[in-house]
Amino acid sequence: MVLASTHSYQLMETEYSDKLTESSNFCDTETNIGCSPLVDNDDLENCPALQFHDSFMRRNRSILFTFITKLRSFLCNIVIYLGVLLPSFITNIWHPQQAKTLTPTAYLNGLRGIAAYSVFWQHFMTEFYSSEPNWGWHARPPPHDRWLIQFPFLSLTHSGFFPVTTFFVLSGFVLSYGPLRYVRSHNHERLLISLSSSVFRRGMRLFLPCITPLVFAAICIWMDVYKGHFFFGHRQPTLGANLRDAWGYWERLVNFLDTTGFRPPSDTPLYTLPVEFKGSILVFLCVLGLSRVKPWLRMSSLACLCYYSLSKGAWETFLFLAGIILAEMRHIREDAKFSLEHLLKDEERVRYARRAINTFWVLIFVTSLYTASIPVMGSLVAPGFRTLASWTPTTFQVSDHLRAAFWCSNSSIALILSLENFSPLQRPFASRLVQYLGDISFSLYVFHVPIILAIGRYLTQSMMDGWTRAGWDASWGWMVGGYLVVTPILVWVSDIQWRVVDEGSVRFARWFEGWMVVEDDK
């Protein structure tokens, strides 16, 4: 009896083990479904509770995956939008941009950047020291005019006139360089398309980026934080009224029929933009009108126009036309079929000739910087410039301002001419830092006065007061404020303006032109 019971128990244990082994073949170790040793796999598949559980898990995983994807996209968009507010040289650290290939004329962009930064320093200095730095060194009795920065060459670091004359020459050069290539290759169809496109887009390129600084200045005026020597307007009681004033300033800038030389009270440097626009149209007109003329006659005609403009005191027109001549001269050098080696044959004579030519252009470079240092005030009594000022033509002898206009105009032409003919002089202007200044130069130019009057004036004055309380010279506080506080802020704002507004205006102008142009002419 006991043996029978024991045998029966063993049979039951064997059947249970077999059932457990069979069930384990269908066990899902990840979900624990099908792990019951007492239920068949077919029963599990037909179980409603387990089917609901499996459907629920799949649906939740899909919802979770969608949520994570959307959250990731949202966070990426936030990073992108916040990245717009960071300078490009910082965002390039984790999103490196392809290095820009420098063209043979890339140094002109760097020259424009240095000129724009020099204009900033001229206005920043005038804001705190009025017109004192504009006088020539030792032009007046002591204690006046004894600053080192009034010395020739050093005065160029805060010159405002020489950069403006350089801007106009550069514009004439850059705007005519491309079309002249079509002129010289007799590709008149491409020339017409190029000039029509340039004329169509030029106004948008110049005036659309001016809206941002004018609006910024209007908001700061309404907040009553916009004060200084370069603000000639007045505060309106409401924001809307100040914005309407800004709109009126912009409308007068774009009005090409206005010949009064309007200066926006909230951003006076913008007065050069209507001059720039009219000069640009003159450049396009001269290139088109002389496109079928023989090269030597074209150069002669432009030279005569330059002389006539200068004799009538129209130094701005003179500079734009001179830029066309410089661009034509570059094309002539690029197309030249002869060289010194071919002309002189002897190697030693070639070496001496090249050395003499290079020395000549270096002297022209140095001379141009010296004559550009002529003071805007007191040029007739400043040591080192009395004789130069006396040589000024009668048309420009009316005032110190016009005397400076004459000599700075000629200095800008001589400077670019020397850079064009001696490439080692171009290297400082082709460096990465200077090229970056060139990229943001236009934004820096249109925004520097609003930044000085709204932010820089208060921060720098507090630093000067702090240095004075400490018993030190306040000018050191002014330098620290200018270089270490105002300059970074200005570069930051100019970088955003350049990427968002300036380049956006270029893209908009191209899109608008493409939308307007007849299909056959695209």
Side-chain angles (χ1 to χ4, degrees):
M1 189 74 179
V2 174
L3 292 175
S5 299
T6 304
H7 179 69
S8 175
Y9 177 79
Q10 290 176 346
L11 289 175
M12 291 174 62
E13 186 179 13
T14 302
E15 291 177 359
Y16 181 82
S17 300
D18 293 342
K19 190 70 174 179
L20 181 62
T21 303
E22 180 182 358
S23 177
S24 66
N25 293 333
F26 299 94
C27 178
D28 187 345
T29 58
E30 294 182 358
T31 61
N32 292 326
I33 296 176
C35 291
S36 174
L38 301 178
V39 182
D40 290 337
N41 190 59
D42 292 339
D43 296 336
L44 290 174
E45 292 179 354
N46 296 324
C47 178
L50 292 177
Q51 288 178 354
F52 172 78
H53 176 269
D54 188 43
S55 174
F56 177 78
M57 293 297 294
R58 285 197 302 268
R59 185 169 64 253
N60 280 359
R61 279 196 296 267
S62 176
I63 294 173
L64 181 63
F65 178 77
T66 303
F67 173 75
I68 292 175
T69 302
K70 291 184 177 181
L71 179 62
R72 181 182 178 184
S73 176
F74 175 73
L75 293 176
C76 288
N77 288 333
I78 291 179
V79 171
I80 291 173
Y81 290 132
L82 290 178
V84 173
L85 301 178
L86 295 176
S88 59
F89 54 82
I90 293 180
T91 57
N92 286 343
I93 296 175
W94 59 81
H95 289 298
Q97 300 292 328
Q98 186 176 2
K100 183 174 63 175
T101 303
L102 296 181
T103 62
T105 58
Y107 77 93
L108 297 174
N109 185 50
L111 180 60
R112 184 188 294 113
I114 292 178
Y117 190 57
S118 179
V119 172
F120 155 71
W121 272 107
Q122 194 269 334
H123 289 143
F124 184 70
M125 184 173 291
T126 305
E127 178 61 32
F128 291 93
Y129 295 102
S130 188
S131 60
E132 290 293 317
N134 295 330
W135 284 83
W137 185 67
H138 280 219
R140 294 175 295 177
H144 300 287
D145 307 331
R146 297 302 186 269
W147 295 0
L148 187 62
I149 56 175
Q150 293 176 302
F151 201 76
F153 299 106
L154 293 179
S155 63
L156 294 178
T157 59
H158 60 89
S159 172
F161 214 115
F162 182 52
V164 170
T165 57
T166 304
F167 288 150
F168 293 161
V169 181
L170 288 174
S171 294
F173 186 107
V174 173
L175 294 176
S176 63
Y177 183 73
L180 283 174
R181 184 183 299 112
Y182 300 127
V183 171
R184 296 180 65 82
S185 62
H186 305 289
N187 191 343
H188 299 295
E189 181 180 358
R190 289 296 305 167
L191 172 66
L192 181 60
I193 294 175
S194 175
L195 289 178
S196 64
S197 175
S198 297
V199 172
F200 186 91
R201 293 182 288 111
R202 189 58 175 167
M204 290 181 279
R205 172 67 184 88
L206 288 174
F207 296 115
L208 286 180
C210 298
I211 297 176
T212 314
L214 289 174
V215 170
F216 173 81
I219 295 174
C220 292
I221 293 170
W222 173 67
M223 296 173 64
D224 203 23
V225 296
Y226 201 84
K227 299 175 182 178
H229 290 96
F230 290 100
F231 177 45
F232 303 102
H234 58 277
R235 179 179 178 270
Q236 300 285 3
T238 64
L239 176 60
N242 286 284
L243 291 175
R244 282 192 294 273
D245 284 348
W247 171 258
Y249 301 155
W250 188 78
E251 191 276 332
R252 289 196 63 181
L253 285 175
V254 301
N255 182 9
F256 61 91
L257 299 178
D258 189 344
T259 59
T260 59
F262 172 69
R263 294 173 179 252
S266 59
D267 196 355
T268 53
L270 298 185
Y271 84 94
T272 60
L273 297 188
V275 180
E276 178 77 28
F277 178 72
K278 294 173 183 177
S280 302
I281 299 302
L282 175 64
V283 169
F284 299 142
L285 180 63
C286 288
V287 172
L288 178 63
L290 299 173
S291 60
R292 299 178 63 197
V293 176
K294 296 176 182 179
W296 70 272
L297 285 175
R298 181 165 55 247
M299 293 278 285
S300 301
S301 301
L302 289 170
C304 291
L305 288 173
C306 284
Y307 176 78
Y308 179 77
S309 301
L310 196 61
S311 66
K312 297 300 180 180
W315 55 271
E316 304 99 329
T317 303
F318 163 69
L319 292 169
F320 283 102
L321 295 174
I324 306 176
I325 296 177
L326 293 175
E328 182 88 50
M329 292 174 67
R330 182 176 184 88
H331 280 297
I332 292 174
R333 287 194 306 274
E334 292 174 344
D335 299 340
K337 301 257 193 302
F338 64 91
S339 62
L340 282 176
E341 290 79 1
H342 178 74
L343 186 64
L344 298 178
K345 307 295 184 183
D346 184 62
E347 183 176 347
E348 185 175 358
R349 294 176 63 187
V350 169
R351 186 170 63 254
Y352 280 118
R354 194 176 300 280
R355 186 177 301 171
I357 292 173
N358 293 342
T359 302
F360 171 77
W361 288 119
V362 170
L363 289 175
I364 293 295
F365 177 79
V366 174
T367 303
S368 68
L369 294 181
Y370 178 79
T371 55
S373 303
I374 186 170
V376 179
M377 304 178 71
S379 58
L380 287 174
V381 295
F385 292 102
R386 298 167 186 167
T387 304
L388 191 67
S390 66
W391 291 347
T392 308
T394 307
T395 308
F396 293 89
Q397 284 286 10
V398 179
S399 64
D400 284 327
H401 181 84
L402 285 179
R403 276 188 288 271
F406 174 82
W407 289 107
C408 287
S409 297
N410 287 280
S411 299
S412 295
I413 297 170
L415 174 67
I416 297 176
L417 192 61
S418 62
L419 293 173
E420 278 284 284
N421 287 276
F422 190 40
S423 57
L425 294 174
Q426 302 173 9
R427 292 171 188 166
F429 303 101
S431 64
R432 189 171 182 178
L433 175 61
V434 178
Q435 284 293 307
Y436 173 73
L437 270 181
D439 291 337
I440 66 171
S441 59
F442 185 64
S443 300
L444 190 151
Y445 181 79
V446 300
F447 238 113
H448 73 273
V449 164
I451 292 298
I452 291 173
L453 299 184
I455 302 173
R457 180 174 171 271
Y458 297 96
L459 295 178
T460 306
Q461 188 61 55
S462 63
M463 290 189 174
M464 295 174 69
D465 294 341
W467 283 71
T468 302
R469 286 193 298 269
W472 298 328
D473 190 348
S475 61
W476 289 103
W478 173 81
M479 292 182 64
V480 171
Y483 281 107
L484 301 183
V485 178
V486 182
T487 292
I489 294 174
L490 177 61
V491 169
W492 180 24
V493 174
S494 300
D495 190 287
I496 298 173
Q497 167 82 2
W498 163 54
R499 289 181 287 112
V500 178
V501 181
D502 200 9
E503 291 187 340
S505 300
V506 174
R507 290 192 296 269
F508 172 78
R510 290 191 179 277
W511 169 83
F512 191 60
E513 179 192 21
W515 180 71
M516 292 280 288
V517 168
V518 179
E519 288 292 333
D520 294 340
D521 292 339
K522 290 184 180 180

